[in-house]
Amino acid sequence: MSKISRRDLLQYIGAGGVGTGAGYLLAEAIKRPVEFLIPPVVPPEDYAPGTATWYNTVCNQCSAGCGISVRIREGRAKKIEGNPVHPVNQGRLCARGQAGLNALYNPDRIRSPLKRVGERGDGAFAAITWDEALTEVASRLARLKVDDQASRIQLLTGHVRGHLDALFEQFITLLGSDRYAQHDFTYPANLKLANRLSFGIEHLPYYDIANSDYLLSFGADYLGTWLSPVHFSLGYGKLRQGRDHRGKCVQIEPRMSLSGANADEWIAAVPGSEGVLALGIARILVAQGTYAGTDRDTWRRALEAYNLDWVSEASGVAPERIEQIAAAFGGSKAGLAIAGGAAAAGTNAVASLVAVNVLNHLAGNLGQPGGIIFNGAPAFGSATRHAGLTQMTELAVAMQEGAIEVLLLHDTNPVYALPDASGFADAMATVPTVVAMSSFMDETTALADLILPTDMYLEAWGDDAPEPGVGLPVASISQPVVARVYDTRSVGDIVLSLARQIGFELPAAMPWSSTEEFIKDGWRKVYEDLDPQAGGTDFEKFWVTTLEAGVWGQANAPAESGDALPPSLIPGIDDVSASFAGDAGEFPFILHPYLSATLLDGRGANLPWLQELPDQLTSVVYGSWIELNPTTAGELGIRDSDLIEVESPAGIIRAPAFLFPAIEPGVVAMPFGQGHSAYGRYAQNRGVNPIQLLAMQSDQQSGELAWAGTRVKLRNTGERARVVRNHGVTRTLGRQILGPEQNHA
């Protein structure tokens, strides 16, 4: 693959700025060198002995939409790197993206269509042919359509963007059903709702960390798991290098994250108090004259209740520290406030996120470099069918009541990702036919009657328009870079095959013979919208160059302009204070689960590279642990590696204790990701799943699962459980390597 200089990269994608000046076709940045191929006697397609070929496609290991370049040699994928001209990741890639090879060649992939032969859930399946599988599914769907019962068909997928989302919606609509939903534990529904309430925008804005000089984060682990961590890591690097001075980062959260460990200041705050603290800082900005708008007096009255003493008591942050933050944030040239993690996952999540938006408004950074840049509309539609806890609970009730006869599943695992109290697993048992389109036998797929194995993203056609964007419309085509490893099919091909077999109006309305043809037809419309006068005459060139580059961007596209926040927003939002399930007397500790930088919400637990990768802050591998402040542990007589029992109003789990100084006393932290009862040899029966502890708490406005809204109590079992980790101790053991004032052990 040819190299591209940093200067060329900046020229083509406007890296490090606010998205202006990007090239119309990023494909022009890559020119493949001429190679002479010497084929073997019967060569595989695109194979040359001794010669590596790089293909550009899109990473699907999380929802960030990074571009990747895959090294192919002898017909096999050997290495995955970041695509250097993709504006999201600019040649970089995280560990999850690198581990895509583990997903492709995983020995636990489902290798052929399967049909249940025993009781549902006992794991007894028999291999069948694709013709048998598709015929059986199509006949059941057709029967419901004929009987005018198509509304009893439910399609439930993971988070899907791009044209595949449009294909799903078209398919279920043509069947005569409106039951299409997406469920993804990591979907930022609360953030999207808060931005809609604040600015009147439907799409996530661009958080211009790179050009900020004061980054104030309320729990957003932008270096690890928040939205697009590779892109934000690049922005963090530019912020640190500085233009005329080095930018400063302040992290406020109950438990230190990777971003907190790399911040200039880490401030421990009471869980759920982030919104109150943000409005307390906002009150100081208005009082000190940082905000000089004509409605300043109205803002002063709206924020009057958030006085310094009350905010300090509620948040646990000293008054002088709050005043220092307000002065530094208000006095910065390009201050930026962001929020995520547990702050975006409590019963007050939307209200807290609105409060952080208020900070940005009062600081005057909306639409400014180093602030919040409003993206334009994506190149093609983004998914709008997300189902949160409220919608998933309603679906479980519908299944229990017999309203669902066929449940079609794709790339989603609600049996693992929802609290047991949701009743989703029990509700699935009442559905006559469950069809799973999946690559792995996860907890939800194991309850299916028919399993249609799907291609991995390195074997399939698709596309993506990442969200949040980068300040300009960007889209990528995902192409197969290797031949199929097993007898699988892409989910798009499965849907198109079912449409042809079902008949009626479906074949005429969905005439594409393959996913590739469907994706290409969608991109033809994108091209024609860009240049209506061209009549598609140069589309083939557009298609090939975009495919080779792995990304396309449109310069000078109009951006949305967010509405100015009205002061009436403050009394109009619900209580900014958080509530927690469980009586504080019986359950004295607040549970603080967090997304793992490697396993994320558990989707990476079946990949051995990620299981082996030490956690960045604790260095633990292959297991679960419970983090406690040493003060809290000492009061309970708990030592490092003691096996402790954690009980909430919803459930009980056991895991070893890990004494972690960088956590607020009274807080119990656990990473998501482990505790699978299925999902392959690397994930199964390893660690515990903290989702089992979560009460059925939801955000007051969005109905999303409030996974940071549960109290727990602890019991030392008296047993020991070795924690496997790759480090020594965090104490100086009396050697005074650090000065006495720095040795906090």
Side-chain angles (χ1 to χ4, degrees):
M1 181 179 177
S2 59
K3 300 294 184 181
I4 181 170
S5 69
R6 176 176 175 83
R7 176 176 295 178
D8 289 338
L9 176 63
L10 297 177
Q11 175 184 349
Y12 283 105
I13 64 176
V18 300
T20 59
Y24 174 75
L25 271 180
L26 302 183
E28 296 302 320
I30 289 184
K31 301 295 184 183
R32 291 188 179 276
V34 175
E35 297 177 353
F36 295 95
L37 308 182
I38 305 175
V41 179
V42 185
E45 184 179 1
D46 292 334
Y47 162 60
T51 300
T53 305
W54 292 83
Y55 291 96
N56 292 321
T57 186
V58 184
C59 181
N60 278 19
Q61 292 292 85
C62 75
S63 60
C66 292
I68 55 176
S69 298
V70 186
R71 180 175 178 261
I72 308 298
R73 185 170 179 177
E74 298 176 358
R76 293 177 64 86
K78 299 291 186 179
K79 189 70 171 68
I80 301 176
E81 296 289 357
N83 182 348
V85 297
H86 200 292
V88 170
N89 55 315
Q90 301 170 28
R92 278 70 169 183
L93 199 62
C94 71
R96 294 193 298 272
Q98 297 276 356
L101 296 179
N102 277 186
L104 177 64
Y105 296 120
N106 196 299
D108 297 318
R109 281 185 62 183
I110 303 171
R111 305 186 181 195
S112 66
L114 302 175
K115 183 174 182 179
R116 178 174 60 84
V117 294
E119 294 296 322
R120 182 177 287 177
D122 67 5
F125 291 91
I128 58 176
T129 67
W130 273 105
D131 286 343
E132 291 172 316
L134 292 172
T135 298
E136 184 165 347
V137 176
S139 63
R140 299 190 187 193
L141 298 178
R143 178 178 58 80
L144 290 173
K145 184 170 178 60
V146 169
D147 295 341
D148 199 23
Q149 296 290 312
S151 61
R152 296 163 62 84
I153 302 170
Q154 171 73 53
L155 174 59
L156 180 65
T157 76
H159 184 43
V160 178
R161 287 192 298 239
H163 285 97
L164 184 57
D165 172 52
L167 183 68
F168 282 145
E169 185 156 10
Q170 185 176 1
F171 176 69
I172 202 71
T173 301
L174 289 171
L175 281 176
S177 174
D178 189 44
R179 291 187 174 274
Y180 167 38
Q182 299 184 5
H183 176 69
D184 187 326
F185 189 87
T186 64
Y187 184 76
N190 290 329
L191 182 58
K192 297 193 78 167
L193 177 56
N195 287 339
R196 186 160 65 248
L197 293 173
S198 302
F199 311 122
I201 61 174
E202 294 296 327
H203 310 294
L204 289 179
Y206 177 58
Y207 298 95
D208 191 16
I209 290 176
N211 291 304
S212 174
D213 61 4
Y214 192 94
L215 178 61
L216 179 60
S217 172
F218 295 85
D221 187 13
Y222 51 91
L223 298 181
T225 59
W226 188 64
L227 297 181
S228 188
V230 176
H231 185 79
F232 292 139
S233 295
L234 289 165
Y236 171 83
K238 295 182 175 66
L239 176 151
R240 288 309 207 184
Q241 293 169 6
R243 278 67 56 192
D244 52 356
H245 66 281
R246 185 176 187 266
K248 184 174 183 179
C249 300
V250 176
Q251 188 81 6
I252 301 174
E253 56 194 357
R255 179 256 178 199
M256 180 181 284
S257 63
L258 181 62
S259 301
N262 286 276
D264 295 282
E265 293 183 39
W266 177 75
I267 301 173
V270 173
S273 66
E274 295 86 355
V276 171
L277 185 55
L279 292 181
I281 296 172
R283 184 179 187 270
I284 296 174
L285 294 182
V286 174
Q288 294 182 348
T290 300
Y291 179 72
T294 57
D295 56 353
R296 178 183 169 189
D297 290 339
T298 309
W299 273 107
R300 181 185 292 111
R301 290 191 295 271
L303 295 167
E304 188 173 4
Y306 298 91
N307 64 78
L308 185 61
D309 292 337
W310 179 75
V311 169
S312 175
E313 181 180 358
S315 65
V317 181
E320 57 271 18
R321 179 65 68 88
I322 297 175
E323 291 180 319
Q324 290 170 1
I325 295 172
F329 183 76
S332 62
K333 295 180 180 179
L336 173 62
I338 59 177
T347 58
N348 62 337
V350 172
S352 296
L353 294 169
V354 168
V356 174
N357 286 338
V358 167
L359 273 182
N360 289 304
H361 168 69
L362 296 178
N365 69 11
L366 301 183
Q368 301 298 318
I372 294 180
I373 310 298
F374 296 106
N375 284 303
F380 31 77
S382 57
T384 57
R385 295 275 194 151
H386 171 72
L389 179 64
T390 300
Q391 293 82 2
M392 292 298 287
T393 304
E394 292 171 352
L395 174 56
V397 171
M399 291 190 291
Q400 289 277 15
E401 294 177 347
I404 307 298
E405 186 162 336
V406 176
L407 175 62
L408 301 173
L409 298 163
H410 166 61
D411 195 27
T412 186
N413 191 9
V415 172
Y416 173 84
L418 287 175
D420 291 342
S422 68
F424 197 88
D426 293 336
M428 279 185 63
T430 67
V431 179
T433 302
V434 177
V435 180
M437 297 174 283
S438 178
S439 298
F440 294 95
M441 189 69 73
D442 59 30
E443 288 82 354
T444 305
T445 302
L447 300 179
D449 302 296
L450 287 164
I451 301 176
L452 308 181
T454 53
D455 294 340
M456 295 304 300
Y457 60 94
L458 298 178
E459 303 168 311
W461 287 95
D463 57 14
D464 189 34
E467 189 181 16
V470 292
L472 73 156
V474 171
S476 303
I477 302 171
S478 180
Q479 62 176 319
V481 300
V482 293
R484 289 187 175 105
V485 178
Y486 303 117
D487 186 19
T488 59
R489 295 190 183 182
S490 74
V491 68
D493 285 349
I494 293 173
V495 169
L496 293 173
S497 296
L498 290 174
R500 288 192 294 271
Q501 291 206 31
I502 293 170
F504 302 99
E505 71 272 25
L506 272 74
M510 305 175 70
W512 309 282
S513 61
S514 66
T515 306
E516 177 186 5
E517 186 179 328
F518 168 71
I519 296 294
K520 192 171 183 178
D521 190 49
W523 277 79
R524 189 185 304 275
K525 294 181 175 62
V526 172
Y527 176 73
E528 291 173 351
D529 289 342
L530 289 170
D531 191 1
Q533 304 301 320
T537 55
D538 292 328
F539 170 72
E540 286 299 327
K541 179 181 178 182
F542 171 81
W543 170 261
V544 171
T545 53
T546 303
L547 191 65
E548 288 186 352
V551 65
W552 160 87
Q554 182 184 7
N556 303 319
E560 292 181 325
S561 57
D563 298 331
L565 274 71
S568 60
L569 189 67
I570 300 302
I573 63 177
D574 288 340
D575 188 3
V576 183
S577 301
S579 61
F580 299 88
D583 179 73
E586 182 180 2
F587 300 97
F589 305 105
I590 295 177
L591 179 65
H592 180 83
Y594 59 91
L595 293 173
S596 165
T598 50
L599 308 185
L600 207 60
D601 58 345
R603 69 189 67 183
N606 65 331
L607 307 181
W609 286 359
L610 299 183
Q611 287 281 5
E612 292 175 354
L613 185 65
D615 177 79
Q616 291 94 329
L617 294 182
T618 66
S619 80
V620 178
V621 296
Y622 279 117
S624 297
W625 63 95
I626 298 169
E627 296 171 13
L628 299 173
N629 185 282
T631 300
T632 302
E635 293 171 352
L636 298 174
I638 294 175
R639 300 171 299 164
D640 213 46
S641 297
D642 279 352
L643 184 65
I644 60 176
E645 184 178 88
V646 184
E647 181 178 353
S648 75
I652 301 175
I653 62 174
R654 287 184 172 194
F658 183 94
L659 272 57
F660 188 58
I663 186 173
E664 180 81 356
V667 175
V668 176
M670 290 188 69
F672 290 116
Q674 302 282 22
H676 287 274
S677 60
Y679 206 33
R681 71 192 72 182
Y682 305 109
Q684 191 170 4
N685 301 324
R686 190 181 303 282
V688 293
N689 181 8
I691 296 176
Q692 295 175 355
L693 294 173
L694 302 184
M696 293 289 286
Q697 293 274 88
S698 61
D699 179 80
Q700 300 165 355
Q701 299 184 64
S702 70
E704 288 293 304
L705 174 65
W707 50 258
T710 302
R711 288 186 173 273
V712 296
K713 59 183 177 181
L714 304 176
R715 184 179 72 86
N716 194 338
T717 66
E719 303 175 43
R720 301 277 287 173
R722 182 177 178 83
V723 181
V724 182
R725 51 190 170 188
N726 185 27
H727 81 335
V729 296
T730 58
R731 303 179 299 280
T732 61
L733 303 177
R735 292 172 294 176
Q736 297 303 318
I737 298 172
L738 304 176
E741 71 282 356
Q742 295 175 287
N743 184 8
H744 301 298

